[in-house]
Amino acid sequence: QSGTGFNVLVRLLEFSPEDARTVALADQLLKEDLPVLCCHKFGHCVVASLLSNGLQRQRARVVEALLQDVQRFARHRFASRVLVAALLYASGEEQMQLASALMAQPGAVVALACHAFGVHVVRAVLEVPRQSKLAMHYLVKGQRRLRKDRYGLELLQELGIEADEGSLVEVAGALGG
């Protein structure tokens, strides 16, 4: 399979997202099976481009599809990239919905932080206003498990979370907690 057709769609969305023909094409894509498109090797690029360049109603449709199985998408090689784009480009309310859904299950943030693709999603959740503090709380609380994992340890180091208690209080204080 070639990604040429998908690349054309991505460029159309980047350079003429409000053109009536581009809008019609994007709307047609949104009628397809979005979860399959999010998980596709090239299709995920089109969906991510829709999130960054498309109309608000198109972004809302993608977020709606992601919310159907957010934990699975967070761990998928390609769909996790779409989820990161949604956490960055969706409306504030949609970002909150996605972040809340990701953190709804006990231990979910730490489990994602220990996953090769999920860790990128956790980084994006840490950028969501009003959710970053809670996500950071879960990471600090689960740091013992994170330190035993390659991706978790790397994330803790990026965030400057040290093993001693004084540093934990310092990080929590910097986040307003």
Side-chain angles (χ1 to χ4, degrees):
Q1 286 184 0
S2 169
T4 306
F6 290 106
N7 286 331
V8 170
L9 291 172
V10 168
R11 296 301 169 251
L12 281 171
L13 289 165
E14 286 176 1
F15 295 107
S16 59
E18 295 180 9
D19 181 272
R21 294 169 293 191
T22 304
V23 171
L25 192 57
D27 287 343
Q28 187 61 40
L29 271 175
L30 291 172
K31 291 179 184 173
E32 299 298 318
D33 191 358
L34 263 179
V36 170
L37 201 56
C38 289
C39 296
H40 188 271
K41 182 177 180 179
F42 302 115
H44 80 278
C45 296
V46 175
V47 180
S49 186
L50 263 173
L51 287 163
S52 62
N53 303 303
L55 303 176
Q56 175 53 40
R57 66 179 165 79
Q58 294 167 337
R59 285 193 294 271
R61 174 66 186 97
V62 173
V63 169
E64 180 185 313
L66 290 172
L67 285 168
Q68 291 175 13
D69 198 354
V70 72
Q71 290 294 328
R72 180 175 74 94
F73 292 131
R75 289 172 173 80
H76 190 275
R77 179 179 180 178
F78 302 121
S80 62
R81 296 177 187 181
V82 174
L83 190 50
V84 167
L87 286 163
L88 296 175
Y89 300 116
S91 71
E93 182 59 35
E94 291 165 337
Q95 290 174 343
M96 291 283 294
Q97 286 178 316
L98 287 167
S100 294
L102 284 163
M103 295 189 287
Q105 296 174 345
V109 174
V110 172
L112 285 174
C114 292
H115 191 275
F117 307 120
V119 70
H120 302 295
V121 174
V122 172
R123 286 185 184 104
V125 169
L126 289 169
E127 299 296 320
V128 175
R130 299 184 313 196
Q131 293 294 326
S132 60
K133 201 183 301 186
L134 181 59
M136 183 62 83
H137 167 76
Y138 290 139
L139 293 172
V140 169
K141 188 176 168 187
Q143 75 166 306
R144 193 168 280 144
R145 177 177 172 199
L146 292 170
R147 291 194 180 287
K148 296 175 185 175
D149 180 80
R150 169 184 170 185
Y151 304 106
L153 179 60
E154 185 179 299
L155 180 63
L156 289 176
Q157 290 170 342
E158 284 174 24
L159 297 172
I161 299 175
E162 300 297 326
D164 61 74
E165 287 300 314
S167 296
L168 293 178
V169 171
E170 193 177 295
V171 169
L175 290 168

